[in-house]
Amino acid sequence: MTRQEAIEKLSTIGHISVSYAEDLYDSFFPKPVVPQYVADWYEEHKDEFEINLYREVCRSEENYERGGLTDFQKWLISGKVSPFSVLVNMHQFGYEVEKEPRYTVRVKGIKGDKRWLAFSELTECWWFGTKEDSHYVVLEHTHKELEANGFGWVFDCEGVEVKEVE
């Protein structure tokens, strides 16, 4: 029985609204929270889930011996979670993606507004700008985004203030 079928049955038998039946179902079967790379792997392989998972386990062994594991494969063999249970629960109940911490980056000692590290989605370039909101300027960045664009050093620099955003 799929999630939707169970919700419809709960709604009918219990004489409750569909939204209440959804909430009730979700309280019985909480969705696992997974990193983005796990969600990406799942979305790419969910149609033939079982065979794709088997193949990934085999690839993990090969890649481990060669020293080239993907993030997903590292997660799969890490032992920190029960990856097979998590993946099966994702397949049955859905999932939520872990929210990565986001940071603002400000240069200390600079007066005025032009001291915030910004990324323009429109021009796809980085610059120091104002903290005012704009539809195409991003002032909150993930650790991976900063590192991938050559700004990993900001976390170790005394002249830069890096604050995690709630």
Side-chain angles (χ1 to χ4, degrees):
M1 178 181 301
T2 67
R3 178 181 186 274
Q4 194 56 41
E5 291 169 341
I7 288 169
E8 288 172 14
K9 195 172 222 175
L10 271 172
S11 175
T12 304
I13 292 172
H15 303 289
I16 57 177
S17 71
V18 172
S19 68
Y20 184 66
E22 287 174 338
D23 292 343
L24 191 59
Y25 182 89
D26 290 342
S27 72
F28 289 134
F29 306 105
K31 296 177 184 176
V33 179
V34 296
Q36 183 65 55
Y37 56 85
V38 174
D40 292 342
W41 182 92
Y42 175 76
E43 286 301 319
E44 190 175 327
H45 299 92
K46 69 183 176 185
D47 293 334
E48 294 180 353
F49 175 68
E50 293 85 0
I51 190 68
N52 285 322
L53 181 56
Y54 173 77
R55 287 178 181 147
E56 195 66 32
V57 169
C58 292
R59 274 189 226 114
S60 296
E61 183 178 355
E62 293 168 9
N63 289 352
Y64 180 79
E65 290 171 4
R66 284 186 263 161
L69 292 171
T70 66
D71 286 342
F72 177 76
Q73 291 169 341
K74 289 175 189 172
W75 176 83
L76 194 60
I77 65 171
S78 70
K80 294 179 184 174
V81 295
S82 300
F84 295 102
S85 296
V86 171
L87 289 164
V88 168
N89 287 342
M90 288 172 68
H91 197 63
Q92 291 179 325
F93 310 124
Y95 62 91
E96 293 179 15
V97 177
E98 240 174 37
K99 301 234 187 266
E100 283 188 73
R102 299 190 78 75
Y103 304 93
T104 57
V105 178
R106 180 182 70 87
V107 178
K108 295 178 182 176
I110 303 248
K111 301 282 185 209
D113 291 334
K114 305 275 188 208
R115 57 185 169 175
W116 300 94
L117 181 61
F119 177 75
S120 171
E121 292 177 326
L122 191 61
T123 60
E124 295 187 355
C125 66
W126 293 83
W127 49 283
F128 284 94
T130 64
K131 196 170 177 174
E132 66 187 28
D133 290 333
S134 176
H135 297 295
Y136 63 91
V137 175
V138 178
L139 294 172
E140 299 170 358
H141 320 286
T142 66
H143 199 285
K144 279 186 180 180
E145 290 169 342
L146 290 166
E147 282 189 348
N149 290 284
F151 293 104
W153 57 269
V154 299
F155 292 97
D156 301 319
C157 182
E158 290 182 20
V160 176
E161 176 184 271
V162 180
K163 282 190 180 177
E164 187 172 339
V165 180
E166 305 261 338

